[in-house]
Amino acid sequence: MSTKITLSQTRQDEFNIKLGRIRQYLGKKGWNGVALSTQALFAFATAGGDNHVSQASEYGIAHVLITGDTVTVLSNNIEIPRLKAEEFDGIDTTGIEFWDCPWYEDHKIVGEIARRMGKNPYGSDSGLPGSTGISDEFWALTYGLTDREIERYRVLGRDCSKAMEEALEQVKPGVTEHSVGGLICKALLDHSVRPHVILVASDERVFSFRHPPPEAKKVKKHLMAVLCGKRGGLIINLTRMLHFAAKLPPDLERKHQAVCEVDVAYNAGTKIGRTAKDVLADGIAEYEKHDFSEEWKLHHQGGPTGYQGRSYRGTPTETRVVLERQAYAWNPSITGTKSEDTILVQNGSIEFLSGPTKDWPTLTVKRDGKTYKRPAIKLV
């Protein structure tokens, strides 16, 4: 079960804030409306509503059409009753229209949106006929989190951390990477979190591949597990590692200490107003300090997150800046090891939304007079 907390804002409050942002954007662009059907932007616009059925699609089974004075949810007659009953709990739906068509006439949904928009300019995230595609400028509306989103995100982070640790507690040598992935998925679902990305690698695969989906390979001695867990549209990203031995090999121990120090360089450097390329430079300098100057080139290093696994990546040329109340997930790696958690930037400091619980071993990293605890490789 997920952690229970009392939210300071209601869902209606968050929904109203989102409508205000979107309508202000419509006015700025001169659009009469915007139709959102991706799972991410449907969730953002509806303060956590879920329009997914298929896990494999970026798009959901319903559109939300927002104009200057109306909100309409459009889908077929299979989906609308459940959406209205379950996905708008806590929102006053008296001002929301739920439009449906027979399931065998799904094509009418696109036509209905076009009819409502007429010849007026409007935007969409799915390339609807006559619409203008949304850009990074629209996605930026999702970056500054509301009070309620932050509170939801904190709970999600704790639930994802607990789910990962509960799953890895059950892992023994001889199980397959697929089995490890299954344990993680089960633990996430037990905490009411939807698996978004699951990566698992063991032994030589950890040293060979930075982005490894699980295989039917049996675990022997060394394991990396990565999850991206989603709830209410928000995504937590984290990595944990196991080693089945009494102690780490000295080279691996040195690498993991180094990668944690790179991780802290990124996280500590994620300050409001700094560009992503400047934060990246902090991490690259830390790689160089530990004589791993080429490792950052072997895998992306992360970037802002929230309603996307990464909203964009920190690169040597990325000039977008860190914003107040924005979430980030940096994920530095050195061959055989990795460090990753999700943070929130707020009030001039960072907060780890995910992070090891008291039962997971940690390493201490000091930087700029502060002490940080990062997940160690757990010895089993």
Side-chain angles (χ1 to χ4, degrees):
M1 298 294 291
S2 65
T3 306
K4 300 292 184 182
I5 64 166
T6 300
L7 301 177
S8 60
Q9 285 182 328
T10 67
R11 188 175 179 194
Q12 185 68 52
D13 292 332
E14 183 183 337
F15 182 62
N16 291 341
I17 291 169
K18 301 300 180 54
L19 287 183
R21 287 186 193 175
I22 292 169
R23 285 169 172 160
Q24 184 178 28
Y25 183 84
L26 295 180
K28 176 182 175 181
K29 299 293 286 187
W31 291 354
N32 278 45
V34 64
L36 305 173
S37 63
T38 57
Q39 294 184 35
L41 289 177
F42 186 95
F44 164 74
T46 61
D50 188 349
N51 71 339
H52 103 282
V53 169
S54 170
Q55 299 270 28
S57 175
E58 177 185 0
Y59 299 94
I61 44 72
H63 302 260
V64 58
L65 176 63
I66 298 170
T67 70
D69 54 5
T70 66
V71 177
T72 308
V73 180
L74 303 96
S75 189
N76 62 44
N77 66 321
I78 302 172
E79 311 299 348
I80 283 293
R82 188 195 64 79
L83 288 167
K84 186 174 183 180
E86 296 183 346
E87 298 301 335
F88 287 81
D89 184 43
I91 294 177
D92 181 3
T93 58
T94 55
I96 301 175
E97 180 184 355
F98 291 84
W99 181 95
D100 69 357
C101 64
W103 63 264
Y104 48 87
E105 295 180 339
D106 265 350
H107 61 279
K108 289 187 174 180
I109 299 172
V110 173
E112 180 63 17
I113 293 173
R115 185 191 70 78
R116 288 169 182 251
M117 290 294 93
K119 295 183 179 180
N120 297 308
Y122 76 104
S124 79
D125 61 356
S126 57
L128 295 178
S131 72
T132 300
I134 65 165
S135 64
D136 290 342
E137 185 182 25
F138 188 92
W139 278 104
L141 300 180
T142 72
Y143 297 166
L145 301 171
T146 67
D147 288 350
R148 184 173 181 271
E149 282 173 306
I150 290 171
E151 291 165 341
R152 291 199 285 120
Y153 223 162
R154 286 174 177 148
V155 180
L156 177 60
R158 292 196 291 269
D159 286 343
C160 286
S161 296
K162 288 190 293 186
M164 177 65 95
E165 294 181 20
E166 289 167 8
L168 295 187
E169 187 69 27
Q170 303 173 64
V171 175
K172 307 295 181 188
V175 303
T176 67
E177 293 173 2
H178 281 148
S179 295
V180 176
L183 289 170
I184 296 169
C185 288
K186 179 183 183 303
L188 285 171
L189 291 169
D190 284 345
H191 285 278
S192 303
V193 181
R194 182 149 61 95
H196 183 65
V197 174
I198 303 294
L199 303 176
V200 180
S202 62
D203 305 299
E204 70 277 3
R205 291 190 75 228
V206 184
F207 292 84
S208 300
F209 308 117
R210 305 285 168 132
H211 238 174
E215 293 289 346
K217 179 188 176 302
K218 289 185 177 181
V219 176
K220 296 176 183 176
K221 207 163 189 176
H222 191 54
L223 182 76
M224 178 178 72
V226 181
L227 70 76
C228 302
K230 179 189 284 189
R231 185 167 62 213
L234 295 170
I235 299 171
I236 285 286
N237 311 267
L238 65 89
T239 296
R240 299 290 183 267
M241 304 196 70
L242 295 179
H243 195 78
F244 296 94
K247 60 185 298 186
L248 289 176
D251 185 56
L252 185 58
E253 184 175 23
R254 182 176 78 92
K255 286 180 175 180
H256 194 66
Q257 181 69 41
V259 83
C260 286
E261 296 196 22
V262 174
D263 192 17
V264 167
Y266 282 138
N267 287 314
T270 307
K271 298 177 180 179
I272 296 165
R274 295 194 76 205
T275 65
K277 71 175 185 178
D278 288 340
V279 182
L280 181 72
D282 291 348
I284 292 173
E286 196 68 23
Y287 274 113
E288 293 173 348
K289 175 183 173 182
H290 293 278
D291 297 324
F292 292 110
S293 60
E294 296 301 302
E295 290 282 340
W296 72 273
K297 299 176 182 178
L298 302 178
H299 184 43
H300 79 78
Q301 300 296 289
T305 185
Y307 287 89
Q308 299 161 288
R310 297 295 188 277
S311 305
Y312 54 87
R313 293 173 179 171
T315 69
T317 58
E318 180 52 72
T319 58
R320 278 173 281 189
V321 300
V322 180
L323 302 174
E324 173 75 10
R325 293 180 161 224
Q326 189 172 20
Y328 266 75
W330 297 103
N331 50 264
S333 59
I334 295 173
T335 303
T337 190
K338 182 183 176 188
S339 185
E340 176 185 24
D341 272 304
T342 303
I343 63 169
L344 172 71
V345 184
Q346 184 177 208
N347 298 327
S349 63
I350 62 166
E351 172 188 344
F352 282 91
L353 297 172
S354 63
T357 74
K358 61 182 179 61
D359 297 320
W360 193 270
T362 59
L363 295 179
T364 297
V365 177
K366 293 184 178 180
R367 188 175 181 89
D368 299 329
K370 295 183 179 180
T371 300
Y372 299 84
K373 297 288 188 179
R374 301 305 300 124
I377 299 175
K378 187 173 184 179
L379 297 174
V380 183

